[in-house]
Amino acid sequence: MANVSGIVKSARKIMRQDTGTGSDELRILQLGWMLFLKIFSDKDKELELMDDHYTSPIPSELHWDEWAGDDEGMTGDELLQFVDRKLFPTLSEIDLSSGSRRAVLVHEVFANNYNYMKSGIHLRQVINKLNEIDFNNSKDLHLFGQIYETFLSELQSAGTLGEFYTPRAVTQFMTEMVNPEHGETVLDPACGTGGFLTAVIEHLKATASSVQQREAIAKNVRGWEYKPLPYMLANTNLVLHDITTPDIQFGDSLQRPLSEYTHKDQVDVIIANPPFGGVVSNNNENNFPQTYRTKESADLFLILMIHLLKDGGRAAIVLPDGSLTGDGVKQRVRQKLLEDCNVHTIIRLPNSVFKPYATVATNLIFFTKGEPTKRIWYYQLLCPPGVKAYSKTKRIQSDDFDDVRDWWDNRVESDYSWSASIDEIIRRDFDLDIKNPARLKVDNDKNAKDYIETINDDLSEISSEVKEIFNSYFRLSEFKVVELGSICSIEKGQTGIKKAVPGSYPMVTTGEERGSHTEYQFDCEAVCIPLVSSTGHGHASIKRIHYQSGKFALGSILAAATPIDCASVSAKYLYFYLNNFKDDVVVPLMKGMANVTLSIGNLKKVKVILPPIEEQEQLVMLMDKCEKLRNTLAKSMADSEEMIRAVLGEILDLDVIHNA
């Protein structure tokens, strides 16, 4: 048996030397497509031997063994050109006429991903390392599955990908409490990297008593994911869990009108951590009944999941505190949940469970559809003794839920558990943010020492983020200088700011905040550039340039630059480039004496440094990390102010003055 852990460590060490995979994030993504193809290709050959009617969708010369299996085979520029110019283009345009689900899977993975490595020599070295793992050996496969899980856990702190990973301890606990049974259909409509799906698969495997039950697992466990990178990682994850053809649909769950989901779409169990803190794009809120329309993704997903459950179906979902309270649409969503379903349990998690990706307060909500709620039980989960807060190095563990497990079937009120009747909840206008009536201070008021420890945590996080930026730094392999008008269509806004009628579409103006309008002008990704100086009086200046996606209106004193070919130009890259270098490349083209303006003609002449699309995407990831660091620094400044006040307040007790 191979030393799987050592092989993977060696592969990652090689990737660190490559300019294209300098960050954990990019190494995970690079390893993702390589592992997917190797495992998929090996399985296809096995299927062809076992089934005379099966034909692999992968052309014979592109099977892993044909071009990568020989350790002395292609390397250097020859290998790099083969992967970039032959492998990816061919597999992304694979023939789908057969209707094969496996063909669709290959197409979707390679049409939406890249080869990030820049050195063909490094690429060959990584390939040779992966060839040392025998994925047809069950022990090797099992060991690698465990290692792959640690890769996915790194997403929680890997730049912009943290939203796609739920800690394994959380997925296991939720699956255990919902207890999916054989023959039941299970769905995660926002499956990310497949954490809930694999938890369900392992749960069902442990109780399977026949070959038929094991084979049925693949058909009954389903996922939906709308972003290509987690979609690829999820499929690889399920293949590593012995699912030959994962049933994961590629697409946005919210993009389809709710009325189009019929009885055949309903399932027995839903386990999910739907995106929260986000705003839906493309006016997907209009796919829902008027009374529940909102831009907040978590609330729309909750309505969708209620609709997708069969009567008697069970659900366990992660929801932020913001979904438990609030009026208007939020209140109506909660009312529907309580009237259509029996919400029997809410587990309140420490704020730090999803740190460092997110620090918002979250809850695990358990409910059954088909009967109204009569009483909700609450349980406040605390960090274990000696752990003040979860972090990148102190993640939540399965054992941390042991007290909840003991309480689950024998519910009594305690310092950490309480309940509320539906009558009380109705009096609160369906507000579910109910505090423990025992008034236990789970999070004591912070004293000076607490703030000092918080600052110390901030500094640790800042150090980690600086390291990530350092590791992600790279230099362009090549670039060209082009004019903005040659790579973008540029169109002036049509909506007068004062004439805008508040509506459902965001409206981009020169201000930092978005307005709204009843009509939209664009439906795309675009960079929005002011055409009028922000200071006037003969002085040329631009305060900010905006990035906007989806359907939106645009103020008449701005212009939108939209990439002509999204396969070669990233709108997000253009945003970072133009916004940060506006004083160098945009402002000098503004003309006028009193009223300084930027003409469309001059805007088209703006010079743009344009690297290959892969490096544009890499630079966007790096800039996202930089912005994350900036936000952490701002938080640290705020914490420092509170610390100063707390220290002074404790040393110089003002009660002395009041009592004098």
Side-chain angles (χ1 to χ4, degrees):
M1 184 175 67
N3 177 11
V4 176
S5 178
I7 291 169
V8 173
K9 286 180 181 177
S10 296
R12 300 183 82 184
K13 184 176 180 180
I14 294 166
M15 294 169 75
R16 286 190 181 93
Q17 301 170 31
D18 194 280
T19 57
T21 48
S23 69
D24 284 340
E25 185 174 359
L26 292 170
R27 286 190 288 274
I28 290 168
L29 301 179
Q30 176 74 18
L31 208 53
W33 77 257
M34 296 175 73
L35 287 168
F36 171 84
L37 182 58
K38 177 169 171 52
I39 297 168
F40 187 98
S41 183
D42 285 351
K43 192 65 179 178
D44 257 17
K45 290 195 170 185
E46 180 184 328
L47 290 172
E48 286 183 323
L49 289 174
M50 296 174 61
D51 184 353
D52 292 338
H53 301 290
Y54 181 78
T55 302
S56 173
I58 300 177
S60 58
E61 71 274 13
L62 298 185
H63 274 289
W64 180 274
D65 284 349
E66 296 300 318
W67 64 272
D70 181 3
D71 288 358
E72 301 298 324
M74 284 188 292
T75 188
D77 290 343
E78 181 187 6
L79 175 61
L80 207 60
Q81 289 182 15
F82 172 82
V83 170
D84 290 340
R85 300 180 186 179
K86 175 71 173 177
L87 183 72
F88 268 80
T90 304
L91 295 184
S92 66
E93 298 173 5
I94 203 166
D95 182 13
L96 302 178
S97 60
S98 66
S100 164
R101 172 64 194 150
R102 287 177 71 78
V104 172
L105 182 53
V106 172
H107 162 74
E108 288 170 345
V109 166
F110 283 89
N112 294 287
N113 288 288
Y114 305 105
N115 169 44
Y116 291 93
M117 296 187 75
K118 303 302 180 187
S119 165
I121 295 174
H122 290 153
L123 181 58
R124 165 50 64 186
Q125 291 171 343
V126 173
I127 288 170
N128 290 353
K129 282 296 173 185
L130 295 184
N131 283 337
E132 294 179 29
I133 304 174
D134 182 3
F135 287 102
N136 290 319
N137 180 310
S138 59
K139 289 185 178 180
D140 278 8
L141 187 65
H142 177 70
L143 280 173
F144 187 80
Q146 293 177 325
I147 294 168
Y148 192 75
E149 175 64 32
T150 66
F151 289 168
L152 299 182
S153 71
E154 292 172 7
L155 291 179
Q156 194 169 352
S157 55
T160 59
L161 300 181
E163 64 184 294
F164 303 118
Y165 181 80
T166 303
R168 186 170 178 79
V170 175
T171 63
Q172 289 178 328
F173 172 76
M174 293 170 69
T175 301
E176 182 184 343
M177 295 302 102
V178 172
N179 191 27
E181 298 180 355
H182 290 280
E184 291 186 320
T185 49
V186 184
L187 172 68
D188 182 350
C191 72
T193 59
F196 283 106
L197 301 181
T198 56
V200 171
I201 289 166
E202 292 305 310
H203 176 83
L204 291 172
K205 278 184 182 179
T207 58
S209 58
S210 67
V211 174
Q212 290 78 9
Q213 284 187 337
R214 290 181 67 88
E215 290 179 347
I217 292 173
K219 298 177 182 177
N220 292 331
V221 179
R222 308 165 185 171
W224 300 342
E225 176 52 48
Y226 81 109
K227 290 196 174 182
L229 298 177
Y231 172 82
M232 174 189 68
L233 296 172
N235 276 288
T236 306
N237 201 6
L238 265 64
V239 170
L240 287 168
H241 284 78
D242 299 322
I243 304 300
T244 302
T245 308
D247 188 357
I248 302 178
Q249 294 182 22
F250 182 56
D252 188 347
S253 308
L254 304 178
Q255 197 166 17
R256 183 176 167 189
L258 192 68
S259 58
E260 289 187 7
Y261 288 106
T262 62
H263 180 72
K264 66 180 178 63
D265 297 306
Q266 292 185 319
V267 296
D268 298 294
V269 177
I270 289 178
I271 310 182
N273 178 4
F276 54 78
V279 176
V280 296
S281 59
N282 302 319
N283 296 302
N284 282 343
E285 70 275 12
N286 294 331
N287 292 325
F288 291 77
Q290 179 70 43
T291 190
Y292 304 124
R293 287 180 187 170
T294 173
K295 282 287 188 181
E296 293 197 33
S297 55
D299 295 330
L300 291 180
F301 264 103
L302 183 51
I303 291 295
L304 174 63
M305 290 186 286
I306 295 171
H307 184 77
L308 288 172
L309 271 183
K310 296 177 181 177
D311 277 349
R314 310 180 304 286
I317 62 174
V318 182
L319 279 184
D321 271 7
S323 293
L324 301 187
T325 189
D327 52 15
V329 174
K330 285 185 171 295
Q331 178 182 329
R332 294 193 291 274
V333 170
R334 294 194 307 274
Q335 182 175 348
K336 179 175 178 59
L337 172 65
L338 296 171
E339 290 176 349
D340 290 4
C341 306
N342 175 22
V343 181
H344 53 81
T345 311
I346 296 179
I347 308 297
R348 314 211 72 168
L349 300 178
N351 291 12
S352 53
V353 166
F354 290 90
K355 193 175 181 180
Y357 169 69
T359 55
V360 297
T362 50
N363 309 270
L364 309 182
I365 316 294
F366 297 83
F367 57 90
T368 303
K369 184 178 175 180
E371 56 184 68
T373 301
K374 295 179 180 178
R375 178 171 294 274
I376 300 178
W377 279 92
Y378 291 80
Y379 193 102
Q380 176 67 62
L381 184 72
L382 302 181
C383 294
V387 177
K388 187 174 182 62
Y390 294 114
S391 65
K392 185 176 180 179
T393 56
K394 297 177 183 176
R395 290 176 172 150
I396 189 169
Q397 302 296 315
S398 180
D399 292 350
D400 297 348
F401 286 99
D402 282 350
D403 288 342
V404 191
R405 292 184 177 97
D406 294 339
W407 166 87
W408 191 271
D409 292 323
N410 184 27
R411 302 185 176 198
V412 293
E413 294 191 353
S414 69
D415 288 342
Y416 310 106
S417 59
W418 63 101
S419 66
S421 69
I422 189 61
D423 292 336
E424 179 183 352
I425 293 168
I426 291 173
R427 287 196 297 271
R428 294 169 54 91
D429 295 327
F430 299 95
D431 188 332
L432 300 180
D433 187 15
I434 299 175
K435 307 302 182 186
N436 188 345
R439 301 188 183 280
L440 176 75
K441 284 193 174 182
V442 175
D443 293 316
N444 293 324
D445 293 335
K446 286 186 176 181
N447 55 32
K449 183 180 177 183
D450 292 329
Y451 279 110
I452 293 171
E453 290 182 357
T454 298
I455 293 294
N456 192 44
D457 288 343
D458 288 344
L459 291 173
S460 176
E461 192 165 329
I462 289 167
S463 176
S464 175
E465 290 172 6
V466 169
K467 184 178 179 180
E468 284 188 17
I469 292 171
F470 181 82
N471 289 337
S472 300
Y473 185 81
F474 70 101
R475 294 189 180 277
L476 299 181
S477 61
E478 58 179 294
F479 64 88
K480 54 186 177 181
V481 177
V482 299
E483 291 189 345
L484 187 63
S486 69
I487 57 173
C488 289
S489 59
I490 300 177
E491 185 177 346
K492 192 172 180 292
Q494 297 176 354
T495 307
I497 296 175
K498 293 183 179 179
K499 295 181 179 180
V501 180
S504 57
Y505 300 106
M507 177 175 168
V508 182
T509 65
T510 55
E512 187 172 356
E513 299 297 326
R514 298 290 189 269
S516 68
H517 192 46
T518 53
E519 299 178 356
Y520 68 90
Q521 181 182 351
F522 298 93
D523 185 4
C524 58
E525 285 186 286
V527 182
C528 304
I529 306 164
L531 300 175
V532 178
S533 173
S534 59
T535 51
H537 307 294
H539 184 262
S541 67
I542 293 178
K543 186 172 291 186
R544 65 182 64 84
I545 288 173
H546 295 288
Y547 166 81
Q548 184 66 43
S549 63
K551 295 178 179 177
F552 65 95
L554 183 65
S556 57
I557 58 173
L558 298 95
T562 307
I564 297 170
D565 179 12
C566 293
S568 59
V569 180
S570 162
K572 198 71 176 287
Y573 165 76
L574 287 179
Y575 159 73
F576 280 120
Y577 173 83
L578 294 173
N579 193 47
N580 285 281
F581 297 133
K582 55 184 179 292
D583 291 338
D584 302 283
V585 298
V586 180
V587 171
L589 297 177
M590 303 183 83
K591 305 296 180 184
M593 296 298 289
N595 298 316
V596 182
T597 60
L598 178 65
S599 69
I600 297 295
N602 280 344
L603 183 55
K604 290 180 178 180
K605 297 176 183 177
V606 169
K607 293 290 191 292
V608 176
I609 297 174
L610 191 70
I613 184 65
E614 296 87 351
E615 294 188 354
Q616 292 177 49
E617 298 287 352
Q618 192 175 348
L619 196 143
V620 167
M621 290 182 183
L622 177 57
M623 289 301 98
D624 283 335
K625 285 185 172 70
C626 292
E627 290 198 338
K628 181 182 175 186
L629 173 61
R630 181 186 62 192
N631 294 338
T632 304
L633 290 168
K635 174 184 177 296
S636 182
M637 286 294 294
D639 289 337
S640 299
E641 294 295 332
E642 295 292 340
M643 178 191 68
I644 292 171
R645 180 176 177 82
V647 170
L648 282 173
E650 289 182 19
I651 296 176
L652 305 176
D653 189 350
L654 295 185
D655 287 341
V656 174
I657 297 176
H658 299 316
N659 296 329

